[in-house]
Amino acid sequence: MPEIRKICVVGVGYIGLPTCVVLARAGFEVCGADINERIIASLNDGIVPIDEPGLQAEFDAAQERLRFTKDPEAADAFYICVSTPLDTSGAEPKAKLDYVFSAAAAISKVLQKGNLVILESTSPPGTTRRVAEILAEGSGLQRDEFHTVHCPERVIPGRMLTELRENDRLIGAQDEIGAEMAKSIYDRVLTKGSVKITDDVTAETAKIAENAFRDVNIAFANELSVICQGLGIDVFQVVELANCHPRVNIHSPGVGVGGHCIPVVPWFLCQLFPGQTPLMHASRAVNDAKPGWIADRIGEILAPPAEICVLGMTYKPDVDDLRDSAAVAFAQLLDKRGYHVTVCEPNVKQEEIFGFRNLSLDEALKTGFVVVALAHREFRENRARIAAVPHYDPVGLLRGL
Ligand SMILES: NC(=O)c1ccc[n+]([C@@H]2O[C@H](COP(=O)([O-])OP(=O)(O)OC[C@H]3O[C@@H](n4cnc5c(N)ncnc54)[C@H](O)[C@@H]3O)[C@@H](O)[C@H]2O)c1
């Protein structure tokens, strides 16, 4: 098996950058490549452009084995960590794989015999095989002269560095040498988690199944919240009591489902089997309808143009990431319905977020009415103060007060 000394990570965003850092800290020589020249310039100036606990310190400590460039460099192994967003131009959403395919084309220019290419980006089943074809076409190598595997990423923002080292890893390989090469890398990075080897399509499907399971489970919780409101009972108590059953684990209801994984990835399976995924379709619809349902409930107690401050705008608690956030969709909906909307997002240091004035919590509590969209730490620490003003609490932050 070829020895791996140098690794080139293509795409150094939320996943690729922490990956570069843990690889360098594990002793590999690492080159991070990204088409975004601003990111490369910032990294070459020694500044980590994302907010992730511990990342800047570990980046500083890994300096001597880390470098950043626009184009991929020759290496023993490559990681593809580019985004895989949704293409919403058709009748139904599907994966937009352009970034993955252009990353593969860029790698093919420097690919050499015996190299390993790891696709980490979340991708529909069959994508790793398409990546292998692009690599062969662009490099002129035979398909059996290099190795491709899919190793899906399952880390959670806020705990990236810990989870990159402690989560179990799936290696979806197309051949035994590729599997062994990938395992030799993860064995050096992992301090706790173990490596599970399977084929590429199974690994691709397993990663999507993880996200789709959570989407379906949250949709069930959100549907329960509608039922409990009708019954005049507390949905959070219902979930808590149901979860006392040893084989039940209902997730928590909220303002909807956000982020770039859970609401996006189920479509990567739906797109392959039109008409055969009614459960995943229904879950998407239930979760997407939740901001509107909450806005309807608020409409029953408060008429526009009243001022409403939305507490929390990120896609989940205690992160600074606003991408695909259900709280943002909710605030925009209130605005569309004629309310005077402000927001309070302590994790994003901007005066305005999507055109909404970003208030401090003290200012927010003077606005007249607040909606708790996320249970951020600052809100958890100020529950009594929030409960003392007129509010709507779809996330159960103020329960028991
Ligand atoms: N962020 C998460 O929490 C998370 C968790 C699990 C899995 N994932 C998956 O990991 C993948 C990466 O997600 P992310 O959040 O890091 O995305 P991101 O948008 O933060 O980073 C992607 C980076 O790739 C760069 N890029 C795009 N095309 C390129 C190309 N051809 N060559 C070089 N660079 C290119 C972009 O400029 C960007 O900096 C996605 O498939 C995502 O679904 C993300």
Side-chain angles (χ1 to χ4, degrees):
M1 180 186 80
E3 194 191 346
I4 296 171
R5 288 207 186 94
K6 178 173 174 183
I7 299 175
C8 178
V9 177
V10 181
V12 289
Y14 281 89
I15 293 295
L17 181 57
T19 299
C20 288
V21 169
V22 295
L23 289 171
R25 297 278 279 157
F28 295 101
E29 188 195 336
V30 179
C31 167
D34 202 295
I35 49 171
N36 185 328
E37 295 187 31
R38 260 188 316 115
I39 293 179
I40 296 301
S42 169
L43 293 170
N44 281 331
D45 284 344
I47 299 162
V48 165
I50 53 174
D51 189 18
E52 177 64 31
L55 187 58
Q56 181 74 57
E58 286 222 34
F59 176 88
D60 294 343
Q63 274 301 309
E64 62 181 25
R65 284 194 286 274
L66 266 181
R67 43 186 267 101
F68 296 94
T69 60
K70 188 166 166 291
D71 299 311
E73 282 182 358
D76 305 308
F78 297 86
Y79 276 58
I80 300 179
C81 297
V82 299
S83 33
T84 45
L86 275 186
D87 172 355
T88 51
S89 60
E92 287 228 321
K94 61 178 183 153
K96 180 174 161 64
L97 294 172
D98 309 23
Y99 303 114
V100 169
F101 296 153
S102 64
I107 292 170
S108 76
K109 297 196 178 114
V110 291
L111 193 73
Q112 293 167 357
K113 270 190 193 174
N115 281 173
L116 169 71
V117 179
I118 301 177
L119 174 64
E120 282 216 349
S121 301
T122 308
S123 304
T127 308
T128 310
R129 294 183 184 184
R130 180 68 197 124
V131 163
E133 285 167 11
I134 293 169
L135 291 167
E137 280 159 24
S139 64
L141 294 174
Q142 296 299 311
R143 195 41 216 93
D144 58 359
E145 289 181 313
F146 62 93
H147 312 279
T148 45
V149 299
H150 179 59
C151 301
E153 192 46 80
R154 307 143 121 185
V155 291
I156 191 163
R159 283 179 45 83
M160 291 271 193
L161 294 169
T162 306
E163 295 209 351
L164 279 167
R165 294 179 171 121
E166 295 191 357
N167 286 358
D168 288 345
R169 295 303 309 223
L170 301 186
I171 296 179
Q174 291 181 305
D175 65 78
E176 217 169 292
I177 296 176
E180 276 176 32
M181 287 175 79
K183 185 171 181 310
S184 75
I185 299 175
Y186 292 113
D187 279 347
R188 273 174 68 179
V189 168
L190 293 181
T191 54
K192 207 167 160 192
S194 63
V195 163
K196 324 260 181 219
I197 296 178
T198 181
D199 65 88
D200 52 340
V201 176
T202 302
E204 288 163 338
T205 309
K207 161 67 193 178
I208 299 170
E210 292 162 13
N211 289 138
F213 164 76
R214 302 201 67 215
D215 199 42
V216 170
N217 195 321
I218 296 167
F220 179 65
N222 278 332
E223 194 162 288
L224 265 184
S225 73
V226 173
I227 291 165
C228 291
Q229 163 96 11
L231 293 171
I233 56 174
D234 175 10
V235 64
F236 294 94
Q237 194 181 12
V238 169
V239 171
E240 197 175 287
L241 294 175
N243 284 349
C244 291
H245 185 292
R247 286 168 295 282
V248 172
N249 176 21
I250 305 171
H251 289 5
S252 295
V255 285
V257 171
H260 27 276
C261 288
I262 298 176
V264 169
V265 172
W267 294 113
F268 294 10
L269 285 183
C270 297
Q271 72 182 64
L272 298 178
F273 297 93
Q276 295 178 69
T277 53
L279 181 62
M280 286 190 274
H281 268 78
S283 303
R284 283 283 68 249
V286 168
N287 288 331
D288 282 349
K290 194 67 192 298
W293 182 83
I294 296 171
D296 290 346
R297 299 292 75 72
I298 289 168
E300 290 165 1
I301 47 179
L302 198 66
E307 181 168 1
I308 298 180
C309 184
V310 180
L311 303 186
M313 284 289 268
T314 54
Y315 84 91
K316 69 180 198 104
D318 300 325
V319 296
D320 67 345
D321 193 342
L322 296 161
R323 293 182 294 175
D324 297 308
S325 165
V328 171
F330 172 64
Q332 288 169 333
L333 194 61
L334 290 179
D335 178 55
K336 219 163 136 193
R337 294 189 182 186
Y339 292 98
H340 171 47
V341 179
T342 52
V343 303
C344 170
E345 178 43 78
N347 299 297
V348 177
K349 307 286 176 230
Q350 289 169 207
E351 283 182 11
E352 281 199 352
I353 297 176
F354 292 100
F356 300 115
R357 212 150 66 78
N358 186 14
L359 309 179
S360 67
L361 184 57
D362 285 348
E363 291 169 326
L365 297 181
K366 291 180 193 144
T367 56
F369 194 90
V370 300
V371 181
V372 188
L374 288 155
H376 284 324
R377 186 177 53 79
E378 183 166 354
F379 307 153
R380 296 195 299 273
E381 289 170 353
N382 285 282
R383 286 189 337 132
R385 291 179 64 215
I386 298 169
V389 304
H391 61 263
Y392 192 81
D393 177 23
V395 299
L397 176 82
L398 309 176
R399 281 187 71 216
L401 288 175

